[in-house]
Amino acid sequence: MNFTLIKEFMTLLEEFESDNKTSSYPSTIEGFKLWVSGGKKVDCENILDEPYWEGKENGRTAESAISTLLVHLNRYAKTYSKSAIINSEFSTQEDFIYLINLKAFGEMNKMALIKKNIHDKPVGMLIIARLLRQKLVEQTECDVDKRSKLIRISEKGLVVIERQMEKIRQATNIVAGNLTHKEKMDLIRILNKLDAFHYPIFSRNIHSDELISTVYDEYTFNIS
């Protein structure tokens, strides 16, 4: 065993720890290697080990993993939502989401309500028609535009949603899983950023044939 080499290494390690009291480098082997090579000092908080995702070792991109995980989370949420409305007057989770939005934001015209729920017009109109038949919402004429109908939650709708609210809250708590408060806040910030990116695109109603090419022409993406 080369004790001289070990001694020199330990001396070098001590120098690294002494020089890195301000945490200019991460306190990891990667940080030590950067220091030894004379690499540029960086904020250690910005050097994080990349997480693993399925297929990463085979070249699967981060963007692909994000897209799939969002789809999975949506399906998990729908499963819990379905459980929350069993034995209620709601046919689908969309019914109570429409009512929750009306309760939270007040009356609005049909298209505003549909866009608030990120639906295409035909799907949204079917949901609103169902809620009207069940008398969970009411519609009135708009004072500004007589051709437009305003939708608001009815007294019956308020009673029905309140009756189911405890299960709905439990479902949303389950969806948030085992995240800490900080992780929830971080996730909200990230999802808000994505929502702010996608909503204006969605609101333009670009035809499916042109959607991807249009977005790619108009935006710049940080592809890893």
Side-chain angles (χ1 to χ4, degrees), residues 53-54 60-76:
W53 58 82
E54 187 176 13
R60 188 186 185 198
T61 64
E63 293 75 23
S64 172
I66 290 169
S67 181
T68 298
L69 289 170
L70 288 174
V71 170
H72 287 181
L73 287 169
N74 180 54
R75 289 175 181 167
Y76 300 145

Side-chain angles (χ1 to χ4, degrees), residues 97-114:
I97 291 175
Y98 270 53
L99 290 189
I100 287 174
N101 276 321
L102 288 172
K103 182 181 178 183
F105 301 105
E107 66 180 12
M108 61 187 82
N109 66 43
K110 292 180 180 180
M111 282 312 302
L113 180 58
I114 290 169

Side-chain angles (χ1 to χ4, degrees), residues 193-203:
K193 183 175 181 179
L194 276 176
D195 187 65
F197 172 84
H198 289 291
Y199 187 75
I201 297 171
F202 170 80
S203 299

Side-chain angles (χ1 to χ4, degrees), residues 7-8 17 23 38 50 58-59 65 72 93 105 118 154 177 196 220:
K7 184 178 179 181
E8 289 177 354
E17 290 181 345
S23 297
E50 284 189 351
N58 296 322
H72 287 181
Q93 69 165 345
F105 301 105
I118 318 299
S154 67
T220 302

